[in-house]
Amino acid sequence: MDRDNFRTEMNNLTQHHRKACKAYDDICNGLSQIAGGGGTDGPFLPVSIFKSLELKSVPDEAVKHQLTSSGTTGQQVSRIFLDAETSAAQQRALCDIVGEYIGEKRIPMLIIDSPDVLRDRTKYSARGAGILGFSMMASRRFYALDNEMNLDMESIRAFAETAAGGPCFAFGFTYMIWQYFCGSITEIMSDTENITLQNCYLIHGGGWKKLQSQAVSNEEFKARLKEVWGIEKVSDYYGMAEQTGSIFMECECGHLHVSNYSDIYALNPDDFTPCRTGEWGLLALESTLPKSYPGHKLMTEDWGRILGEDDCPCGRPGKYFEIKGRISKAEIRGCSDTFAADHSAKSAEDTYVRQALITDIETKPRNAFDETAISFLEDLSKLFTKEPEYRSVPEIYALGFWCRRAHIEKLHSRQQETKKGRGLVLHIAPSNMPTMFAYSWICALLAGCSSIVRISTKENAVTDMILEGINKVMAEPGYEEIREQNRFVRFEHSDETLSEISGRTAGRIIWGGDETVAHISSIPAKSGCVDITFPDKYSIAVLDGDRINGLTEDELKVQAHLFYNDTYGADQNACSSPKIVFWTGERAGRDRWWGALAKEAEYYNLEPWMATEKYRNLCVNFARHEGLGPVEAWGNRLYVCPCEKPELFEAKMGLFYECHIENIEEIFPFLGEKIQTIVSNTDGLYDRIREAGCAGVDRVVSIGEALDFDSVWDRKDIIDMLTE
């Protein structure tokens, strides 16, 4: 269809889904002020939202198929609900698009997969859906792999004989073709000598991330297929389970093309506005096919660019584009990656941890706050606060400032008597706070304990620099005992490993989500082991708008910068970083505050994956909660969303919810045991909260102090609990 008709169809689809799917309508209302979110066109939904929500625009009884996307082990999958009309439309579109490349006549098909993938026709994966869709163009189907994923040479030979040198085609997912159709080919080369697939048109898609990690290029992939099987005509395609049918085929020039059923944009991750031709951005897809679910406008996690329109050398009209790959740190998705992950993941972590840590660590208790520990921390403080490479990183400088002798001696003054450490302590530190492992470990060090500190396997430059600094100081003369008594190691959560270590521990410090804390706490430990647990907590801000409005511009800038440090400094992941702001006073102060914070946020390093993740969080909350929005946005670095009723909303990386109150007492019912920190410019708030008997709130701090760590955390004296 022409572009005018395409736009009309997209607008009609948006209105249809808004009427038929309340969650989608709530999302549209909430996003009306974000770029691309308003008007009759509707917003681009983040493609990952289908992993969190069941979105459908038809009654349950009209759903004929449930399609699930593939993900690596442990990931949630998208759930796509298809009625008969949508399913039929997707199949017709697929045949129409692919028919331009292989012809409209049905021809023999080789499926580079196993028959086992099509077990349940009502609930099938993206792999199964792809096979079924392409099978519509087959006169007869053959499987290249058996149920053990070995080459079925008899079936491949039968396919070649059936085609008899005439037109035929093969279909499979990229990584599986490389792994199972070409990977072990040296073992069966002699069996392929009498098989010719020269006239076969091979179509593949999905799984390029796996191949790119193995340094396999598109050119090498095609060359290998020609070398092994004689296949010369090969086309990649771009598509996803969330928009089945309206795929983008690769032409003879190596470009991906839109079809009559689709359109594509590259969006600037700073504000989701369309990029110019040739500029890289987040790919956003449109399709006229989804009628049973609101998947007609999707924002992907893929990085690509539009190369041109109506001028590809292949002669095909419309936009054509290229993809660089998945944005960094986005979830690894893909139809073929799941199988590989399930069958190839091996780890020797348990053996390593037992041999390298448990058997040789010295666990003899020391006196709490002994001079060796204090001197060590003093030297660590000097390294982190004076050496340029460390002091230039705010989190590391703050850690170094915390370790200075004057502060450690202040902590020491809290102790009423000299005690000894309990023994070996296991630390399970949070992965989203790169410095917390260090604070946790230092508390155990000051208590006179030895430690095994589990470091997240997620790469983090700040964590690596802290470890490097600790190792430097440990290597200095006089700190041999500290070096022998402490180990830092990266390993995945493993019950066997944790059980082995816990059997020797006198204490465990466990930071994490409620489920993680509960699970690790349930693992048996040494008799008398003290568990110090820090499960999920939530923090808020209570701000007097009138007081803010009375600030000069310079004073406002300082306060906004301090609040920026409280929140953006930890990507708003810290349990003590505010996520909801309660306002008292007139609106003028509120308006000045967000404007000032938006200026500070201009310096925030918002990576593309962070923009999509924050956007997804916002969309999910609109669908799950009543009385939200519309959100006010300053690009993608600051979102502010009004809420009628405060809840424990998920928020990170510059997403804030706000609620206006007439008096402070209105927040008291909200202050349950999950509320940890309140950042406030209101005097006497902590005393009023305690007098009201609120179950939660461990501390009330001034703006700029939210991330200040104390050895008494969540009303637990960590050092005292690790001594006896």
Side-chain angles (χ1 to χ4, degrees):
M1 66 180 73
D2 62 46
R3 290 294 98 179
D4 289 340
N5 289 336
F6 182 90
R7 291 260 58 86
T8 299
E9 180 64 17
M10 291 301 300
N11 293 341
N12 290 340
L13 270 176
T14 296
Q15 299 311 310
H16 158 70
H17 291 305
R18 294 194 68 165
K19 292 177 182 177
C21 180
K22 182 181 183 303
Y24 177 71
D25 188 52
D26 290 340
I27 293 171
C28 290
N29 289 330
L31 297 177
S32 59
Q33 296 186 36
I34 291 182
T40 56
D41 248 6
F44 287 105
L45 291 187
V47 69
S48 57
I49 199 171
F50 294 96
K51 297 185 178 191
S52 303
L53 303 174
E54 290 190 356
L55 299 175
K56 48 181 176 282
S57 303
V58 294
D60 290 343
E61 57 270 19
V63 175
K64 299 300 181 184
H65 303 290
Q66 180 178 327
L67 176 62
T68 59
S69 68
S70 298
T72 57
T73 304
Q75 290 182 349
Q76 289 179 299
V77 296
S78 296
R79 291 155 294 172
I80 309 300
F81 301 94
L82 306 179
D83 63 358
E85 179 185 359
T86 301
S87 180
Q90 290 176 340
Q91 290 178 351
R92 287 194 300 269
L94 184 64
C95 291
D96 187 26
I97 295 169
V98 177
E100 184 179 335
Y101 291 78
I102 67 172
E104 298 179 359
K105 186 178 179 180
R106 293 192 177 195
I107 54 178
M109 175 186 182
L110 180 65
I111 301 167
I112 307 176
D113 212 315
S114 77
D116 200 41
V117 75
L118 297 178
R119 286 181 181 175
D120 187 346
R121 294 299 182 90
T122 61
K123 295 181 180 180
Y124 46 82
S125 67
R127 278 170 60 198
I131 291 170
L132 287 175
F134 280 89
S135 293
M136 298 294 293
M137 291 162 275
S139 59
R140 189 174 172 187
R141 293 179 293 180
F142 300 83
Y143 286 88
L145 307 175
D146 60 23
N147 287 335
E148 300 300 321
M149 306 305 289
N150 298 313
L151 283 169
D152 188 339
M153 296 305 301
E154 184 177 342
S155 179
I156 297 172
R157 188 173 286 105
F159 165 73
E161 291 173 353
T162 300
C168 57
F169 79 106
F171 167 76
F173 290 91
T174 309
Y175 180 75
M176 298 186 70
I177 293 173
W178 181 259
Q179 176 98 356
Y180 304 107
F181 195 58
C182 296
S184 59
I185 203 64
T186 55
E187 301 174 8
I188 50 90
M189 280 291 287
S190 60
D191 293 331
T192 68
E193 291 178 358
N194 298 323
I195 299 177
T196 176
L197 300 181
Q198 186 174 1
N199 291 330
C200 183
Y201 199 124
L202 187 141
I203 300 171
H204 68 101
W208 270 112
K209 190 174 184 70
K210 283 283 186 181
L211 268 64
Q212 289 169 351
S213 67
Q214 299 177 29
V216 178
S217 66
N218 192 9
E219 293 73 20
E220 183 180 355
F221 180 81
K222 292 178 178 179
R224 188 68 174 275
L225 283 166
K226 182 178 180 181
E227 173 192 1
V228 175
W229 296 104
I231 297 175
E232 297 182 351
K233 293 175 287 187
V234 180
S235 281
D236 186 11
Y237 77 87
Y238 177 60
M240 55 190 61
E242 294 82 2
Q243 279 189 359
T244 299
S246 53
I247 65 173
F248 303 83
M249 287 287 290
E250 179 189 24
C251 72
E252 299 83 352
C253 301
H255 300 148
L256 295 164
H257 281 260
V258 301
S259 70
N260 289 331
Y261 305 94
S262 62
D263 203 352
I264 192 165
Y265 303 86
L267 304 180
N268 187 329
D270 288 339
D271 56 12
F272 294 154
T273 54
C275 298
R276 295 190 296 267
T277 298
E279 290 182 341
W280 294 97
L282 290 163
L283 292 182
L285 316 178
E286 291 184 330
S287 171
T288 59
L289 301 178
K291 301 264 195 320
S292 56
Y293 66 100
H296 58 305
K297 291 174 67 72
L298 300 179
M299 182 188 301
T300 75
E301 295 162 347
D302 295 318
W303 197 244
R305 61 177 176 175
I306 311 301
L307 296 174
E309 185 170 2
D310 296 330
D311 57 2
C312 179
C314 77
R316 290 178 176 85
K319 292 179 184 176
Y320 57 101
F321 62 101
E322 66 174 326
I323 299 174
K324 183 176 291 186
R326 189 78 55 188
I327 56 176
S328 176
K329 289 195 179 181
E331 281 188 340
I332 298 175
R333 301 167 61 246
C335 305
S336 60
D337 289 347
T338 304
F339 184 92
D342 287 345
H343 288 70
S344 64
K346 300 289 182 183
S347 174
E349 67 182 40
D350 291 339
T351 302
Y352 170 78
V353 170
R354 283 193 291 272
Q355 292 179 349
L357 301 178
I358 298 175
T359 58
D360 66 349
I361 187 170
E362 171 60 51
T363 61
K364 181 181 178 181
R366 297 173 288 101
N367 285 334
F369 289 96
D370 67 5
E371 179 57 30
T372 300
I374 295 176
S375 295
F376 174 86
L377 294 177
E378 182 178 25
D379 288 346
L380 189 66
S381 175
K382 291 176 181 177
L383 178 70
F384 286 167
T385 58
K386 295 184 178 181
E387 292 296 324
E389 63 178 308
Y390 295 106
R391 67 172 287 124
S392 62
V393 182
E395 302 99 307
I396 298 179
Y397 180 85
L399 175 63
F401 188 73
W402 195 88
C403 291
R404 69 196 189 282
R405 178 176 283 269
H407 180 249
I408 300 304
E409 290 178 348
K410 182 179 179 181
L411 296 180
H412 190 189
S413 67
R414 294 176 180 174
Q415 306 299 309
Q416 300 300 315
E417 56 183 307
T418 301
K419 296 183 178 182
K420 282 185 175 291
R422 286 180 171 272
L424 178 64
V425 177
L426 170 64
H427 303 255
I428 306 295
S431 61
N432 59 357
M433 290 294 295
T435 60
M436 190 55 70
F437 82 91
Y439 287 109
S440 183
W441 170 67
I442 290 169
C443 287
L445 178 69
L446 291 173
C449 296
S450 53
S451 292
I452 292 177
V453 185
R454 186 263 180 184
I455 306 295
S456 172
T457 56
K458 297 179 180 178
E459 294 183 6
N460 187 284
V462 174
T463 297
D464 291 344
M465 289 182 68
I466 293 173
L467 288 171
E468 178 187 54
I470 291 173
N471 286 331
K472 280 184 178 180
V473 180
M474 276 187 178
E476 295 177 3
Y479 299 135
E480 294 82 5
E481 186 178 21
I482 291 178
R483 185 165 62 248
E484 293 301 318
Q485 289 193 341
N486 296 279
R487 298 288 185 273
F488 301 85
V489 64
R490 285 185 165 91
F491 61 93
E492 297 288 353
H493 285 299
S494 161
D495 286 1
E496 184 177 358
T497 301
L498 294 175
S499 179
E500 184 81 17
I501 299 174
S502 296
R504 298 188 63 198
T505 55
R508 296 187 296 191
I509 303 180
I510 309 169
W511 308 78
D514 291 348
E515 292 183 7
T516 298
V517 169
H519 178 72
I520 296 177
S521 298
S522 70
I523 296 174
K526 179 181 177 181
S527 177
C529 176
V530 174
D531 278 351
I532 307 174
T533 60
F534 299 100
D536 286 330
K537 288 284 188 172
Y538 197 92
S539 296
I540 64 175
V542 178
L543 300 180
D544 182 340
D546 292 339
R547 181 172 288 188
I548 287 175
N549 201 35
L551 298 175
T552 66
E553 287 300 315
D554 287 342
E555 291 170 337
L556 178 61
K557 182 177 180 179
V558 170
Q559 291 296 296
H561 179 73
L562 291 173
F563 192 75
Y564 173 90
N565 291 338
D566 283 340
T567 51
Y568 288 87
D571 295 328
Q572 219 173 343
N573 279 319
C575 59
S576 55
S577 290
K579 300 178 186 297
I580 302 177
V581 177
F582 291 87
W583 288 101
T584 62
E586 298 299 321
R587 184 179 175 88
R590 175 262 180 207
D591 291 345
R592 288 188 69 202
W593 179 257
W594 293 128
L597 186 62
K599 291 180 181 178
E600 293 295 320
E602 291 176 1
Y603 300 98
Y604 182 53
N605 181 28
L606 185 74
E607 297 180 27
W609 74 269
M610 299 165 71
T612 61
E613 175 62 14
K614 179 164 70 170
Y615 185 61
R616 184 198 67 81
N617 287 342
L618 187 61
C619 290
V620 169
N621 283 341
F622 282 136
R624 288 179 173 170
H625 303 279
E626 298 289 339
L628 293 181
V631 67
E632 189 173 357
W634 287 261
N636 285 336
R637 284 178 169 77
L638 174 60
Y639 293 164
V640 178
C641 181
C643 60
E644 295 177 3
K645 178 183 176 182
E647 299 181 49
L648 301 181
F649 301 114
E650 183 180 5
K652 58 182 69 176
M653 297 172 287
L655 168 57
F656 299 91
Y657 293 85
E658 65 175 1
C659 186
H660 184 81
I661 56 176
E662 295 298 327
N663 56 73
I664 292 295
E665 287 74 16
E666 290 182 42
I667 71 170
F668 291 168
F670 182 67
L671 303 182
E673 61 181 14
K674 280 294 183 184
I675 304 300
Q676 186 210 58
T677 299
I678 296 180
V679 173
S680 182
N681 64 348
T682 301
D683 298 329
L685 182 57
Y686 186 80
D687 291 338
R688 294 176 67 178
I689 290 169
R690 294 279 73 87
E691 290 172 3
C694 299
V697 185
D698 300 315
R699 60 193 190 127
V700 176
V701 299
S702 299
I703 296 171
E705 298 177 356
L707 300 185
D708 290 354
F709 181 77
D710 195 297
S711 60
V712 178
W713 197 256
D714 287 2
R715 305 187 214 181
K716 299 173 183 177
D717 190 327
I718 301 173
I719 297 175
D720 188 63
M721 293 176 73
L722 292 178
T723 59
E724 56 185 3

